[in-house]
Amino acid sequence: MDYFSLCLDALYLGGMSVVHMVFACRLTGKKLSPWSLAAYFSLLCVIQLAFTGLCPGCEAVSTGAGVLALYGVSRLALGNPSPVSWLAAVLAHYISQLCFGLVNSLEAVIFPQFVGTPLLYLLLLAALAAFFALCACCCAAALRLLAWTREGQTPHAGLLLFPGLFFFAAQLYILRTSYSAPSIRPLPAEIAQHTALLLLQGMGLAALLCTLYAYRHLCRGFQAQAALQSLAQAAQAQKVYIAEAQLRYERTAAFRHDVKNHLTVLDGLLGGGRVDEGRAYLKKLEGVSQSLSFPYQTGNPVVDVLLGEKLGLAGEIAAQVSLVLPKPCGIDDFDLCVIFANALDNAIAACSRAAGERSIRVSGERQGDFYMLSFENTCGGGPLPPAGTGLSNIRAVAEKYHGAVLTEKNQGRFSLHVLLNIS
């Protein structure tokens, strides 16, 4: 191998390392560190040297080793989940192999007539630059289709793995069978073949982008379904509030209508010297007036109804509420319904599975422009259950108000803290 080929291979491996690592980091929202880039570049160099010397015709095996190397760096150095690491490795190598095949198709048609001339070296460098530019554009297009996900997360990433592997295997087969022994002076039939391969690989790139586009809209459909469930919960909570408010209004109107009669009876008892009976009658009136008020007073009627409705159904679970929402709160009643309804449902469900004393505590505290809601409840042993739709809806509301959600479990008690910006 001459020095020019050696330098060309070094440039190729270095550029590939940068493109692959930047793609993996941008896909998962991680920061690229120099030592992880150096580790991946070193692995690619070892793979190149090993397969060039020991197995010159094993391009598929060396490419598979490169996929494993990128997966290992993404999984161990960047700390990405396994499905996302596999997805990043397969997509990055497929895009690079596809771009390599497109450039090779042009090289097979154009370069043979410049063999033996100094211009060939410039053309090889230009082809390498075109390869990296095409790789960067294709990776940017793939990332743009996946950029809608939050915090670098790619839900249902396994849906892309098998289509990516199929495209990857087809591209490796094309590279292995069509570019293993290029002709110095290609015949017109060979030129037509390379032109057809160029079109075929262009269709492969379009198929990849269409697959990513369909994946994007599929995941958006899942998000829309979760949002509809959240709205349905909030609407149901509002219906409960309206029904409760109407009932209390009717009871209050009836009580006000009878106040004059109650005062007449009370005046008669006190005027006749029947003080004890008058006191008993006053206690009854006090009980009736208390039944017309909410059991929990937070300053927000929607939250008051939800607390009374949910904790009233808790049965033997001891409930403690120390919560006063600020006025103005700055949080929509629908969003408050989502937080309290899901948090209380989860707390009641956890308490029902716990043995011994069971309790729920709801509290709130203002911290400057933020308000911290805390839900604590007893729970059984074992690890925390996976986050369901309820907790996902709470996180969505917290993100809407530039807040955060924290869950923790300590000595048989589960805590959910929701921080909201109320400014």
Side-chain angles (χ1 to χ4, degrees):
M1 180 179 291
D2 55 18
Y3 288 108
F4 180 79
S5 299
L6 187 63
C7 294
L8 204 64
D9 287 343
L11 288 175
Y12 172 78
L13 293 177
M16 287 282 290
S17 301
V18 174
V19 170
H20 288 176
M21 289 300 297
V22 170
F23 179 80
C25 291
R26 293 285 180 86
L27 180 63
T28 56
K30 298 299 179 62
K31 185 178 180 180
L32 178 61
S33 61
W35 72 269
S36 61
L37 177 61
Y40 182 59
F41 174 71
S42 302
L43 289 174
L44 288 185
C45 291
V46 171
I47 293 171
Q48 179 75 5
L49 291 174
F51 284 95
T52 301
L54 301 178
C55 187
C58 300
E59 290 86 357
V61 180
S62 63
T63 304
V67 173
L68 290 176
L70 183 56
Y71 167 79
V73 173
S74 176
R75 185 79 175 91
L76 301 177
L78 300 180
N80 294 319
S82 181
V84 179
S85 298
W86 279 119
L87 176 63
V90 171
L91 281 181
H93 277 271
Y94 169 66
I95 290 174
S96 60
Q97 291 292 334
L98 183 61
C99 296
F100 185 76
L102 290 171
V103 174
N104 260 357
S105 296
L106 295 175
E107 289 179 352
V109 175
I110 301 174
F111 283 20
Q113 53 187 320
F114 295 98
V115 173
T117 64
L119 187 59
L120 179 63
Y121 296 99
L122 294 177
L123 289 176
L124 289 174
L125 291 175
L128 185 62
F131 162 71
F132 286 132
L134 186 58
C135 263
C137 293
C138 293
C139 289
L143 290 171
R144 184 178 180 85
L145 291 175
L146 298 172
W148 62 272
T149 54
R150 298 176 180 176
E151 300 178 359
Q153 299 297 321
T154 51
H156 313 285
L159 296 175
L160 290 175
L161 189 56
F162 288 103
L165 288 175
F166 171 75
F167 295 144
F168 195 17
Q171 181 63 26
L172 284 177
Y173 179 78
I174 292 175
L175 293 177
R176 181 70 180 87
T177 56
S178 302
Y179 302 106
S180 56
S183 302
I184 296 178
R185 295 188 180 277
L187 300 174
E190 293 177 334
I191 295 177
Q193 178 188 4
H194 290 305
T195 304
L197 289 175
L198 178 65
L199 295 176
L200 182 62
Q201 292 174 105
M203 292 173 61
L205 175 60
L208 172 66
L209 297 179
C210 289
T211 302
L212 294 178
Y213 181 80
Y215 166 78
R216 177 183 187 180
H217 281 268
L218 178 64
C219 291
R220 278 182 170 175
F222 289 139
Q223 280 193 338
Q225 184 179 4
L228 287 176
Q229 291 179 352
S230 175
L231 290 175
Q233 289 182 348
Q236 182 62 32
Q238 288 287 358
K239 289 180 181 179
V240 172
Y241 161 67
I242 292 173
E244 182 75 14
Q246 288 177 345
L247 180 59
R248 291 181 183 276
Y249 176 78
E250 293 174 358
R251 291 178 179 175
T252 303
F255 180 76
R256 288 176 177 175
H257 181 269
D258 294 335
V259 164
K260 185 176 181 179
N261 296 329
H262 292 312
L263 292 177
T264 301
V265 173
L266 186 60
D267 181 67
L269 293 174
L270 294 177
R274 301 157 65 181
V275 178
D276 293 337
E277 294 182 19
R279 289 176 178 174
Y281 197 83
L282 279 175
K283 288 184 179 179
K284 290 181 182 179
L285 291 179
E286 183 181 359
V288 173
S289 63
Q290 289 180 352
S291 66
L292 296 176
S293 61
F294 295 111
Y296 303 101
Q297 303 291 331
T298 66
N300 186 295
V302 175
V303 177
D304 294 346
V305 171
L306 273 174
L307 289 172
E309 180 75 15
K310 298 293 184 180
L311 298 180
L313 299 175
E316 299 179 355
I317 301 175
Q320 179 183 358
V321 178
S322 55
L323 171 67
V324 178
L325 294 173
K327 293 183 180 181
C329 185
I331 304 173
D332 189 80
D333 287 345
F334 275 101
D335 297 326
L336 288 174
C337 287
V338 171
I339 295 175
F340 279 87
N342 286 288
L344 292 175
D345 285 341
N346 293 340
I348 294 173
C351 286
S352 64
R353 295 190 296 266
E357 184 180 356
R358 296 172 294 179
S359 63
I360 296 175
R361 184 176 183 273
V362 182
S363 60
E365 180 182 3
R366 183 164 187 168
Q367 301 173 356
D369 291 336
F370 290 87
Y371 195 83
M372 174 72 79
L373 291 171
S374 299
F375 302 86
E376 300 178 8
N377 59 271
T378 54
C379 59
L384 291 176
T389 304
L391 188 56
S392 300
N393 291 339
I394 295 176
R395 292 186 187 277
V397 172
E399 292 174 1
K400 177 181 176 181
Y401 292 94
H402 309 289
V405 174
L406 174 64
T407 59
E408 58 182 348
K409 182 179 179 182
N410 186 20
Q411 297 180 353
R413 292 195 66 84
F414 175 81
S415 299
L416 168 65
H417 305 285
V418 184
L419 184 65
L420 303 170
N421 189 337
I422 60 175
S423 60

